[in-house]
Amino acid sequence: MRDEHHEELARRAAAGDRAALETLLAEIRPSVLRRCSRFLPCYQDAEEACQDVLLQVARNIGGFEGRSRFSTWLHVIIANGSRQTYRALKRRAAEQGYAEMPVDVPDARTTSVIAGSRLDLLDALERLEAARAELVAPMVLRDICQLDYKEIATHLGIPEGTVKSRIHQARGQVRQYLLAGL
């Protein structure tokens, strides 16, 4: 029921209904923040990514054509926004002269094995994107956003078999990166 409500709000917002856009953004915010947290283990980083995602939705809703579900469209923006936030955080740390992102107080990045593995995964995805960019989106949409193969194929405009093949190749490459310790 909620998904259908969001689909309707998205269609109205895409058609220029400002009130529908405001309602949509307010309603999806908790879910966007939760999903950004899947990528970024530090709450402040997830919050930054969430704000960027909501801004992207607001800016680009006019381009939502309804070919795929709004939730699929949103998952792509969340994945890209979270990865972009991570890259920006790494760039800021490097500009400040840190080899790694600085840690002043204990946080999830250094105290949690799960958090550390998320950051390792983001690094591995960065390497994969540099080597074989076409493999990243299918893997992220399947393994992190948990979309089914058919939704991914529809969104990317490629056959379902190609989606499965790319996911298989991406997983193998990411596994190698993770095992090699990046």
Side-chain angles (χ1 to χ4, degrees):
M1 177 70 177
R2 200 82 181 137
D3 280 348
E4 294 308 315
H5 173 67
H6 289 161
E7 295 292 329
E8 176 59 28
L9 284 173
R11 280 191 290 276
R12 289 179 25 216
D17 183 335
R18 189 82 181 151
L21 176 61
E22 295 296 327
T23 301
L24 180 65
L25 292 173
E27 289 184 8
I28 65 173
R29 188 185 186 291
S31 174
V32 169
L33 179 56
R34 194 171 46 254
R35 290 180 177 145
C36 288
S37 295
R38 287 183 184 169
F39 288 91
L40 300 160
C42 180
Y43 179 80
Q44 291 85 359
D45 298 345
E47 178 70 31
E48 182 178 332
C50 176
Q51 292 303 317
D52 290 344
V53 167
L54 294 174
L55 183 60
Q56 289 301 317
V57 169
R59 284 183 178 161
N60 297 312
I61 193 70
F64 175 67
E65 299 171 348
R67 286 184 313 202
S68 64
R69 295 168 33 106
F70 173 72
S71 59
T72 303
W73 187 77
L74 181 60
H75 280 301
V76 172
I77 294 173
I78 291 168
N80 291 339
S82 296
R83 291 176 50 233
Q84 181 61 37
T85 297
Y86 179 69
R87 283 192 290 268
L89 290 168
K90 281 182 66 173
R91 189 173 44 254
R92 278 186 239 153
E95 287 169 358
Q96 294 173 1
Y98 295 102
E100 296 290 324
M101 286 189 277
V103 179
D104 297 326
V105 296
D107 76 9
R109 293 181 221 193
T110 58
T111 59
S112 167
V113 172
I114 293 170
S117 64
R118 279 191 237 168
L119 296 176
D120 289 343
L121 176 60
L122 287 169
D123 284 334
L125 288 172
E126 239 181 89
R127 284 186 65 187
L128 180 61
E129 188 167 36
R132 305 259 328 260
E134 75 278 5
L135 300 181
V136 175
M139 182 183 161
V140 167
L141 293 173
R142 178 68 182 162
D143 292 345
I144 298 174
C145 298
Q146 301 173 337
L147 299 182
D148 64 38
Y149 294 113
K150 186 175 183 175
E151 280 183 290
I152 297 167
T154 300
H155 180 76
L156 296 177
I158 58 177
E160 202 171 319
T162 303
V163 167
K164 291 178 181 179
S165 173
R166 288 182 181 176
I167 290 169
H168 176 75
Q169 291 173 50
R171 286 174 179 162
Q173 195 65 48
V174 166
R175 185 178 306 114
Q176 285 180 5
Y177 294 149
L178 292 173
L179 291 174
L182 299 169

